[in-house]
Amino acid sequence: MYWDLYYPQPSRGTAVADSVRPQKGEVISGFFSLNALKEDRREEQYDSIFKSEKASYLMLRKYFDEIEEKIEVL
């Protein structure tokens, strides 16, 4: 009994294993689903970076405009 718990023997029947095994089309479909998820993630990351870069640019632009106004006053 101890031996069977830690070192299980391979099943002699394959009916269960065959029903659980993914078919060829399912593997390919899953592969493309993962690629689509990765592409969506990359696109979200790009959008996030783009928005943060734009915000940084606008903040710098505002800062330089304020400095320019102060210089004009002097």
Side-chain angles (χ1 to χ4, degrees):
M1 184 170 157
Y2 173 82
W3 182 264
D4 289 336
L5 289 174
Y6 291 98
Y7 302 101
Q9 299 298 314
S11 173
R12 298 195 190 281
T14 59
V16 173
D18 288 339
S19 65
V20 175
R21 183 177 297 138
Q23 300 300 321
K24 186 176 184 179
E26 292 173 347
V27 172
I28 293 172
S29 175
F31 175 77
F32 285 114
S33 295
L34 285 176
N35 279 343
L37 288 173
K38 286 179 185 178
E39 184 65 30
D40 290 344
R41 175 110 169 107
R42 273 189 236 131
E43 201 169 309
E44 289 173 5
Q45 289 174 340
Y46 174 80
D47 289 341
S48 176
I49 291 169
F50 179 76
K51 288 177 184 177
S52 64
E53 289 290 327
K54 185 177 179 181
S56 297
Y57 167 77
L58 292 173
M59 292 291 291
L60 284 172
R61 174 97 187 241
K62 181 180 176 184
Y63 176 71
F64 282 117
D65 288 344
E66 289 174 0
I67 290 177
E68 187 176 357
E69 289 175 9
K70 289 179 182 179
I71 289 174
E72 287 177 2
V73 170
L74 294 175

